[in-house]
Amino acid sequence: MTIKIRSCFTPVTMNKLCSILLLLPSISAFAPHGTAHTRNPSSALFSVADFKADFELSPETTVLLDVRESNEWNEGHLALASPNPLSQLTTGTWMDSKTGQFSPGSFPIDRFTGVAIVQNKKVYIHCKMGKRAKQAGEMLTQMGYQQVVVLEETFDELVAAEICDVVQGEVQDLID
């Protein structure tokens, strides 16, 4: 039994089209810097809806990092967030347990437990405009965190989305 498929393409045109489709993955490797192809694949951009769903479904395995500086945190922060200013995350040194290599940076601290955030938690990161969050996301990915999510929304957009209460106060006010 033979099945015939009618196509508006001639066999030569189909061969050219197939050749082009097969070349697309290799062409994307030559994309200029600054495009989405250069972004670390394990660090993703998600929406507020994804964040809300994760916090509602599994709050024990989801963390929100605020990488703004202390003065920004004091003016107002999301109640679910843990303060980890980028300036603190980039100080210190950590060792890769697989290679034994030392790299600059400090593990983020969960404000609710007071200890470093474990690497199997899903870590959402935000800042005022996104640049510092992206830097922190890249650093956490290098540290071995598997589920790093850089929120693309600005702090003001997160506040407007009403993902949680916004509170004021200094970091030391968090200690009971």
Side-chain angles (χ1 to χ4, degrees), residues 43-117:
S43 177
L45 294 174
F46 277 47
S47 70
V48 171
D50 298 318
F51 170 78
K52 283 183 177 181
D54 279 346
F55 256 95
E56 288 175 11
L57 296 174
S58 54
E60 65 284 345
T61 60
T62 306
V63 177
L64 175 62
L65 289 186
D66 183 337
V67 296
R68 298 175 305 143
E69 295 303 316
S70 297
N71 62 324
E72 295 170 288
W73 169 274
N74 296 345
E75 292 171 6
H77 55 271
L78 301 173
L80 295 172
S82 289
N84 283 266
L86 184 64
S87 62
Q88 289 179 2
L89 288 175
T90 56
T91 60
T93 305
W94 63 277
M95 185 184 81
D96 187 325
S97 60
K98 294 176 186 164
T99 65
Q101 243 181 335
F102 289 92
S103 298
S106 299
F107 286 96
I109 304 297
D110 184 337
R111 85 174 219 214
F112 299 104
T113 63
V115 297
I117 296 169

Side-chain angles (χ1 to χ4, degrees), residues 153-175:
E153 292 81 9
T154 66
F155 176 72
D156 293 336
E157 290 170 335
L158 292 173
V159 169
E162 299 178 345
I163 59 174
C164 64
D165 292 336
V166 177
V167 293
Q168 292 180 335
E170 296 185 18
V171 175
Q172 51 266 44
D173 294 342
L174 300 174
I175 302 168

Side-chain angles (χ1 to χ4, degrees), residues 114-176:
V115 297
I117 296 169
V118 293
Q119 293 174 328
N120 63 351
K121 286 195 175 189
K122 189 166 198 172
V123 181
Y124 284 91
I125 306 172
H126 84 88
C127 66
K128 176 104 176 125
M129 299 303 292
K131 184 178 178 182
R132 291 175 285 182
K134 185 177 178 185
Q135 289 175 300
E138 290 170 358
M139 184 170 45
L140 265 60
T141 300
Q142 290 174 347
M143 291 177 159
Y145 288 86
Q146 299 296 313
Q147 299 180 72
V148 176
V149 180
V150 175
L151 291 170
E152 60 187 359
E153 292 81 9
T154 66
F155 176 72
D156 293 336
E157 290 170 335
L158 292 173
V159 169
E162 299 178 345
I163 59 174
C164 64
D165 292 336
V166 177
V167 293
Q168 292 180 335
E170 296 185 18
V171 175
Q172 51 266 44
D173 294 342
L174 300 174
I175 302 168
D176 293 331

Side-chain angles (χ1 to χ4, degrees), residues 1-7:
M1 182 171 143
T2 307
I3 299 174
K4 291 189 175 185
I5 299 174
R6 297 186 99 181
S7 172

